[in-house]
Amino acid sequence: MPGALNITGGEDRVVVELHRPEVRNAIDRQMVEELHLVCGDLEEKPQTLILIGSGGVFASGADIAELRQRRRDDALAGINSTLFARIAALPMPVIAALDGYALGGGAELAFAADFRIGTPRLTIGNPETGLGIMPAAGATWRLKELVGEPLAKEILLAGRILNAEEALEAKLITAIHAPEDLLQAAHALADRIGRQDPLAVRITKSVFHAPREAHPMIDQLAQAILFESEAKFDRMQRFLDRKKES
């Protein structure tokens, strides 16, 4: 059986292309299992992850033919939600490059990323209630955090679908690029991340997602670790040297 993903990479990043073009990259069990394998690699060797679709589509949702057969025990197993939580918790940032449809489970996968960029033809939202189910892989709480309660309720309860401009205005995505420039733009963002100290990025991401009651103690403990790192001394010395030369 052919894989559901195309995976390429470099020293500081991995690009994962969702590749089920015959069903607009619908997320099925095989894709979930292959994404878990990617997560395992990235947990062992932290790198920035770029997620992108194929054929002008990010992901049209969960595979409806497969979803229709799932029952109570499948829902309780959290097939997609467990994966998306794992993606959100990856040590280094995750960039979702969104083209065409990012609907249902595809939207929830995008919501789990740290950064979302799109193209003018992006369509994003959660039409699950129209199919007699609910978005149960993170949208009910991540979307409220991302766009605020009023718009989140329009999307989740009234089936509103956003186009690219609306997603940009809501800050659900941070930039719009031509389809042919989308991957390059994702790499440019990964380049910016790559110029930072990897340990500082990893720790900052962890602290950012810590619960409110963990602050400020978690910030102080994290900073204590970074204050002892080689990179801190090297980078600050280079900054001082450049300042002296200017």
Side-chain angles (χ1 to χ4, degrees), residues 52-53 96-99 117-119 175 177-187:
I52 193 165
L98 310 174
D99 191 13
I117 58 176
T119 71
H177 302 277
E180 62 272 19
D181 298 330
L182 183 63
L183 183 55
Q184 181 181 346
H187 276 298

Side-chain angles (χ1 to χ4, degrees), residues 11-234:
E11 181 148 348
D12 67 346
R13 73 198 62 173
V14 171
V15 179
V16 171
E17 179 190 64
L18 310 181
H19 190 70
R20 300 186 71 222
E22 70 282 1
V23 287
R24 294 176 173 172
N25 304 326
I27 300 169
D28 69 348
R29 193 64 179 262
Q30 181 185 355
M31 186 182 286
V32 167
E33 289 171 358
E34 290 182 22
L35 283 167
H36 271 299
L37 293 176
V38 171
C39 287
D41 290 341
L42 293 175
E43 288 160 356
E44 187 174 328
K45 183 187 176 185
Q47 295 174 283
T48 295
L49 171 62
I50 297 174
L51 292 168
I52 193 165
S54 57
V57 174
F58 180 67
S60 58
D63 190 306
I64 299 299
E66 187 179 275
L67 195 62
R68 189 180 182 279
Q69 301 306 314
R70 290 183 184 172
R71 305 301 294 267
R72 175 190 60 200
D73 289 348
D74 297 305
L76 293 174
I79 295 168
N80 286 1
S81 62
T82 301
L83 170 65
F84 299 167
R86 193 175 183 185
I87 288 172
L90 285 172
M92 290 292 284
V94 179
I95 301 166
L98 310 174
D99 191 13
Y101 296 119
L103 297 172
E108 291 183 295
L109 174 56
F111 301 157
D114 298 289
F115 302 94
R116 284 163 298 281
I117 58 176
T119 71
R121 59 192 184 191
L122 172 63
T123 300
I124 187 166
N126 291 91
E128 282 90 339
T129 53
L131 296 170
I133 58 173
M134 62 171 279
T140 54
W141 56 277
R142 282 199 182 99
L143 191 54
K144 179 169 61 175
E145 294 178 355
L146 292 169
V147 302
E149 185 174 319
L151 180 55
K153 283 183 174 177
E154 272 200 74
I155 294 168
L156 298 173
L157 307 181
R160 181 174 172 183
I161 303 295
L162 304 183
N163 62 30
E165 290 293 341
E166 291 169 330
L168 182 64
E169 184 178 354
K171 297 183 171 57
L172 190 54
I173 60 174
T174 55
I176 297 174
H177 302 277
E180 62 272 19
D181 298 330
L182 183 63
L183 183 55
Q184 181 181 346
H187 276 298
L189 180 52
D191 288 341
R192 286 165 51 196
I193 295 167
R195 288 193 289 271
Q196 315 308 309
D197 172 50
L199 181 61
V201 171
R202 288 178 60 182
I203 289 180
T204 301
K205 178 176 174 177
S206 295
V207 172
F208 183 92
H209 289 291
R212 176 63 185 88
E213 57 271 18
H215 301 278
M217 181 56 70
I218 192 171
D219 305 72
Q220 295 161 4
L221 292 172
Q223 190 75 299
I225 294 169
L226 291 171
F227 271 8
E228 299 297 327
S229 73
E230 289 276 336
K232 174 248 189 178
F233 292 103
D234 292 345

